Structures are given as structure tokens and as C-alpha cells.
């Protein structure tokens, strides 16, 4: 199975700072840069796995943008490729999951994030980057949702999570991850702000007390199912320091591609 790398340069659904739309070409440039090796930790050369790429622009209208994202995921799946999507803000994940549902039925989701992203709406926008998993649950895209790194959930999102059977874990509860809920079809969504800002400072909403990069790599190494798709979102290059966060994103692309191969 090959992987297709998709860039979704969209950040108009962000609630605070713009910037993530700049991320996809920066992550791609690092992936193919001489600064780091092409190998995953398990020794897979991502260049042998990533068979195609699509970094085309998106429509400026939000509805049209989401439709375009779903269409590009559907196209990837139809050509027998597993999509690794580079955001963009986290709002891109709902249209991705709609297309994954069409191909695979409801998926199990490993979601790394400081935030549950389960708001009914945020600042009047039900498709905000604070809402994608609420929309995905309502749309029937989700079998199990396991959130790790959460450290910003108020009562509203906790209640929504409880009502819908979401597993919501902080960065201090890595020994409680229910890996048995993360069988196939498995989707992985990594919001880089789930990682501690010491390791990943280039995000719009830094929340100290998060996962280390090593924690995330260890979690990925414990997955028993090969993911059918994944996204890495919320890199804000305008906040990054010496490309530190972009390097984390590039490493995660290599690891996810190796898992999918
Ligand atoms: Mn977040
Ligand atoms: Mn998020």
C-alpha cells in the first residue's frame, strides 16, 4: 500500500491566529531536505512509500474548501493510496473523516491534541478548528475516539465527550491508553499543540504540560493496526523557532508513512 501526501493550506477556521495555511510546503521541504534522514525509526525510507503528492490550492470559500478536501481524500482512497494530510488548521479533519467514512465506514481515531475540539460551535462557527470531532461524531464518522494530551477541556466539552463515549486522557495518563479501541480501520489525527510547547513551540494555542515528542513516537509504535489515513495539523510557521515544530511534523510524516506501508 502506498501513501499519498496531501497539503491542505487552510487556516480561515482558526479562532485566534492565522498561519497554519503556510505549513504544508514547509513540512514538505524539510522532508526532502538534507538536514535529516529519510528513514523512520524502524528503518523505512519514506520516499519508498510516498508515491504521490497533491499540494494544490484550496477554494477560499469555507464550504467549497471542505468539499474540495473531501473530494481529494476520496480520490486518494480510490487510487488505493492512504492519505497523510498536512494542515492547515484542525478544521480540515472533519471533511477528511467524511471521506474516510465513505470508504471505510466509521473509523477508530487516535487523536493527539491539547484540546478536545468537541465544541458545538465556536464563535458562531460549527466548522471551526475547535469543533471537528463534534461534527465527525454527529456525522457517524467515528467508531471510537481516543484523545490524548488533553489539558484545556471545560465542562461543555467534557459533557459532550462523556455523552458520546469519548476517551479523554491528559498527558499524564499514557499508561491508560485503551489500545484495544484502536484497531482497524484506524485513523490518526495529530494536532501539534498536543505536544508540549518545549518541543513544538510553533502552534497558535500553546498549552504547557503536554506530551514529549518521544511520548508520541512511543504511542505510535504501540499501535497494532496500520492506519488507513492520518493528518498532522496546526503547525503555525509564524510562531515556530528554528523550524523545531516543522521538524517534529516531518518526523511524524515518516513514522506514519512507515506504519501505513
Ligand atoms: Mn489543539
Ligand atoms: Mn485540534
Amino acid at each position: 500500500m502506498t501513501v499519498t501526501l496531501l497539503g491542505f493550506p487552510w487556516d480561515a477556521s482558526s479562532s485566534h491566529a492565522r498561519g497554519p495555511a503556510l505549513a504544508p510546503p514547509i513540512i514538505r521541504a524539510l522532508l526532502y531536505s538534507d538536514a535529516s534522514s529519510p528513514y523512520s525509526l524502524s528503518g523505512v525510507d519514506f520516499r519508498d512509500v510516498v508515491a504521490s503528492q497533491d499540494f494544490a490550492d484550496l477554494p477560499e470559500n469555507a464550504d467549497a474548501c471542505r468539499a474540495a478536501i473531501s473530494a481529494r481524500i476520496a480520490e486518494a482512497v480510490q487510487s488505493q493510496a492512504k492519505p497523510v494530510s498536512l494542515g492547515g488548521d484542525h478544521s480540515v479533519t472533519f471533511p477528511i473523516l467524511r471521506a474516510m467514512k465513505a470508504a471505510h465506514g466509521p473509523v477508530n481515531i487516535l487523536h493527539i491534541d491539547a484540546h478536545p475540539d468537541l465544541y458545538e460551535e465556536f464563535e458562531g462557527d460549527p466548522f471551526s478548528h475547535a469543533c471537528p470531532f463534534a461534527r465527525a461524531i454527529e456525522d457517524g464518522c467515528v467508531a471510537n475516539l481516543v484523545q490524548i494530551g488533553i489539558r484545556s477541556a471545560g465542562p461543555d466539552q467534557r459533557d459532550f465527550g462523556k455523552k458520546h463515549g469519548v476517551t479523554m486522557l491528559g498527558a499524564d495518563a499514557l499508561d491508560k491508553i485503551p489500545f484495544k479501541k484502536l484497531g482497524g480501520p484506524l485513523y490518526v489525527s495529530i494536532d501539534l499543540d498536543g505536544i508540549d510547547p518545549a518541543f513544538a513551540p510553533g502552534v497558535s494555542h500553546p498549552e504547557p504540560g503536554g506530551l514529549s515528542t518521544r511520548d508520541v513516537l512511543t504511542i505510535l509504535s504501540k499501535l497494532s493496526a496500520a492506519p488507513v489515513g492520518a493528518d498532522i495539523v496546526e503547525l503555525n510557521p509564524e510562531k515556530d523557532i528554528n523550524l523545531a515544530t516543522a521538524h517534529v511534523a516531518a518526523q511524524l510524516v515518516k513514522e506514519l508513512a512507515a506504519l501505513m506501508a
Side-chain angles (χ1 to χ4, degrees):
M1 197 77 175
T2 61
V3 167
T4 187
L5 197 59
L6 305 175
F8 292 136
W10 175 264
D11 61 13
S13 302
S14 300
S15 53
H16 173 58
R18 302 288 289 265
L22 304 169
I26 292 173
I27 299 169
R28 179 172 57 172
L30 276 187
L31 267 173
Y32 291 92
S33 140
D34 293 337
S36 59
S37 101
Y39 297 104
S40 74
L41 299 184
S42 60
V44 175
D45 185 334
F46 82 92
R47 298 169 302 186
D48 295 338
V49 182
V50 174
S52 58
Q53 305 190 14
D54 181 355
F55 280 65
D57 287 342
L58 290 166
E60 283 179 29
N61 171 274
D63 292 332
C65 172
R66 285 191 298 276
I69 290 171
S70 293
R72 280 162 62 180
I73 294 291
E75 194 183 322
V77 171
Q78 237 152 38
S79 63
Q80 306 296 319
K82 293 181 174 183
V84 173
S85 304
L86 306 179
D89 68 39
H90 218 157
S91 71
V92 303
T93 300
F94 173 50
I96 292 171
L97 289 173
R98 290 196 85 170
M100 297 308 291
K101 178 187 75 169
H104 300 285
V107 292
N108 297 314
I109 303 175
L110 168 65
H111 170 205
I112 290 173
D113 205 323
H115 314 93
D117 295 348
L118 290 173
Y119 278 107
E120 295 279 9
E121 51 89 23
F122 201 80
E123 294 172 343
D125 180 6
F127 299 103
S128 157
H129 73 156
C131 307
F133 294 95
R135 295 294 83 72
I137 287 170
E138 290 167 355
D139 199 63
C141 304
V142 181
N144 289 302
L145 175 58
V146 176
Q147 305 185 312
I148 306 170
I150 305 300
R151 50 197 186 279
S152 67
D156 289 3
Q157 293 192 91
R158 285 185 193 279
D159 288 351
F160 187 101
K162 232 173 242 164
K163 186 172 148 198
H164 294 280
V166 176
T167 303
M168 201 182 285
L169 298 173
D172 58 342
L174 303 187
D175 56 333
K176 298 195 173 62
I177 298 171
F179 284 101
K180 61 179 188 307
K181 289 187 172 180
L182 295 172
L186 172 66
Y187 186 85
V188 178
S189 184
I190 301 179
D191 180 330
L192 290 162
D193 69 31
I195 300 171
D196 194 274
F199 301 92
V203 297
S204 303
H205 300 273
E207 297 276 358
L211 301 165
S212 68
T213 307
R214 181 65 254 172
D215 289 335
V216 177
L217 296 171
T218 299
I219 293 165
L220 293 179
S221 75
K222 289 182 178 174
L223 296 172
S224 55
V228 293
D231 62 63
I232 300 167
V233 298
E234 296 286 348
L235 167 63
N236 186 337
E238 297 192 328
K239 311 279 187 189
D240 208 3
I241 302 168
N242 288 341
L243 296 171
T245 316
H247 276 289
V248 172
Q251 184 71 37
L252 291 172
V253 172
K254 293 173 204 172
E255 299 309 323
L256 289 164
L259 286 179
M260 290 174 175

